[in-house]
Structures are given as C-alpha cells and as structure tokens.
Amino acid sequence: MPILSRPALVEHLVRTRIAGDVATPRDNNLSHYRKLANGDRHYWLGLELGDRWADEQDVLAVMAERCGVVDDPAHRVGQDTIDPELTVDGLDRMAARLRKAAAGKERVLFATGHPGSLIDVHSRIAAALRAQGCDIVRIPGGLIADEGYVVQFADVAVFERGATLWHTHSPEPMNAILDALGEDGRPDLVIADHGWAGRAGQRGIDSVGYADCNDPALFIGEAEGTMQVTIPLDDHVIDPRYYEPMTTYTLEASGLL
C-alpha cells in the first residue's frame, strides 16, 4: 500500500465518500442532533452530557466546527458533508497519541461497533502497536451485554448475537469489558467508535474514536475534553478496503510503519 501525501489522501477520502459529500443525509443528521439535545441516551454514546447540550443549535455548531457539516440551520434536507481536512487533522492527532502509546509501551484496547467496516482498521493499528512492544488487551471470555456476547477477533472487541457480529451504538459492551478487567487490567488507551469509545472516555480512560456526521456525541466529548481525539468520517462506506490508505497514512504519521 503506497503512503499517500496529505493532498492525495484528501482526494481519496472525497472520491470514496469517506469524507466530502457523504451518504448520510442532512435530515438524518439533524434528527440525531435533536434527539441528543432532547436527552435520548442512545445518542449520547456512553457519555454523560447532563443538560449542557439541550439546544440542538449548539450541537449543530459543534458539528460544523469539528466535523464539517453545513453550518446553516435552514439547510434541512438533501446533502450533508464531512470536511476531509478535518478528517486528516483528526488522523494526525490520533498519530500523536499512538506515538505516545508506542513510546510508553502502553496497554491498549481496541473495539468497534462497526465490524463490517472498521475491524481491519483497528486490527492493523493493533498489530503495529504490538510490534512496538505495546500490550494489546485480550478481553476475558464469557462476557455478556445487551443479551449477546462480547468477543474478540483480530485483537478487536465486537458484539455478537445469534452467531452474527452486530452494529451497535451501546456502551454496555465496553462496560462489561472494563468491569471484568478491573483496575489492575485497566487499559491506558482505548481506540474504538460509538458507545465503546464514549464509555471508555467517560470512565476516565484516554479514548480515541472514529465518528460519523450523524453521531455528534463523540465530537462533543472531544470539545469537553472527555474524548482525547474524535476523527470525522463516514464509518460504513461501500467497500472497507477504501479505509486502507487512511490507515497506512496514520501508521506512517505515527512512526509505526
């Protein structure tokens, strides 16, 4: 896999719709911002937001600043956007945290609520950190959450139910892992998405998360300092191989290649 320059990566992100004009429609984004503001915890992604974000226009303002959605509140339907420059900025911030993890040979946990798209992204970074001497967390067996099982494939924790890996926003699988690990097994860093990332940050662990433009909570978490880094991207594009240049860029920027 060639290592793309920043301009070439930006072009790739736009062409594959990881960023730029993404598939998530504007009305879906605004609906999620409204539900977060109305206190629907499904949209808090494991964070505790209290009543600090009860105005959906404040949520939109954060998303325009940190994700690159259209900042005009009158834009209600049609196309919405993710700024690819903000995506690469997030990858660069992530790379800096990965350098720190590698230098300290930290204990790192990987998890995803998007096993159909992001498991390989997480797995490649886990392998690179292990090669630098990091301890990649092996989760305990037999963990149960949300009427399913928390299992691990290729170093990445995922949610399984009915012999199928599930897309989930729930923070409960992360709760199950952290409760089972206890304080002695607590990771130094979590790299994840959705409720897995949000709950880790809420429980005081350095957390880096990928997030789509209809998942505002992790961006709010970074704005408040609960999340270390939130990277804006479409978290389920048509071909998971489209993420490979992005992952290679991150590994190069972090000195892990």
Side-chain angles (χ1 to χ4, degrees), residues 2-246:
I3 301 167
L4 299 183
S5 66
R6 181 182 178 114
L9 179 60
V10 166
E11 190 278 331
H12 169 80
L13 295 173
V14 171
R15 185 178 70 253
T16 57
R17 301 185 74 185
I18 294 172
D21 290 339
V22 293
T24 310
R26 177 67 167 192
D27 56 330
N28 182 264
N29 284 346
L30 295 180
S31 172
H32 287 202
Y33 304 169
R34 185 178 312 111
K35 289 173 181 176
L36 180 147
N38 288 340
D40 187 333
R41 285 178 172 267
H42 175 76
Y43 297 92
W44 288 12
L45 300 183
L47 295 166
E48 294 298 331
L49 302 179
D51 60 0
R52 298 185 299 279
W53 298 91
D55 186 338
E56 67 182 273
Q57 298 306 318
D58 291 340
V59 179
L60 174 60
V62 167
M63 293 303 292
E65 176 188 8
R66 292 179 176 266
C67 183
V69 301
V70 177
D71 62 0
D72 181 3
H75 179 49
R76 310 298 299 179
V77 297
Q79 185 68 55
D80 213 337
T81 58
I82 292 174
D83 184 341
E85 297 287 350
L86 294 178
T87 303
V88 182
D89 288 346
L91 296 174
D92 287 339
R93 293 195 303 278
M94 178 183 186
R97 187 60 186 85
L98 292 176
R99 286 195 298 274
K100 178 182 176 182
K105 300 189 185 309
E106 291 183 348
R107 183 167 165 79
V108 187
L109 172 64
F110 291 82
T112 185
H114 262 293
S117 56
L118 295 180
I119 193 167
D120 189 56
V121 174
H122 290 301
S123 181
R124 285 184 62 197
I125 295 173
L129 285 176
R130 176 180 283 113
Q132 295 294 318
C134 289
D135 178 13
I136 305 305
V137 174
R138 183 177 174 88
I139 71 170
L143 298 182
I144 296 174
D146 295 332
E147 301 181 347
Y149 296 94
V150 186
V151 297
Q152 196 167 30
F153 293 98
D155 292 323
V156 186
V158 292
F159 179 67
E160 178 191 24
R161 191 163 69 190
T164 301
L165 302 185
W166 281 55
H167 169 218
T168 178
H169 287 212
S170 173
E172 293 308 318
M174 181 57 74
N175 275 334
I177 293 172
L178 297 179
D179 290 346
L181 290 173
E183 283 301 313
D184 290 342
R186 179 185 174 96
D188 301 302
L189 173 64
V190 167
I191 300 175
D193 45 70
H194 286 175
W196 306 79
R199 183 49 53 89
Q202 187 63 48
R203 291 182 61 159
I205 299 169
D206 282 5
S207 184
V208 172
Y210 301 101
D212 209 330
C213 56
N214 62 353
D215 291 327
L218 297 190
F219 296 97
I220 288 173
E222 186 180 18
E224 292 193 328
T226 310
M227 292 290 301
Q228 289 277 303
V229 180
T230 299
I231 301 147
L233 49 70
D234 186 317
D235 55 16
H236 199 126
V237 294
I238 192 170
D239 187 343
R241 289 175 294 188
Y242 289 163
Y243 297 107
E244 290 177 358
M246 177 192 82

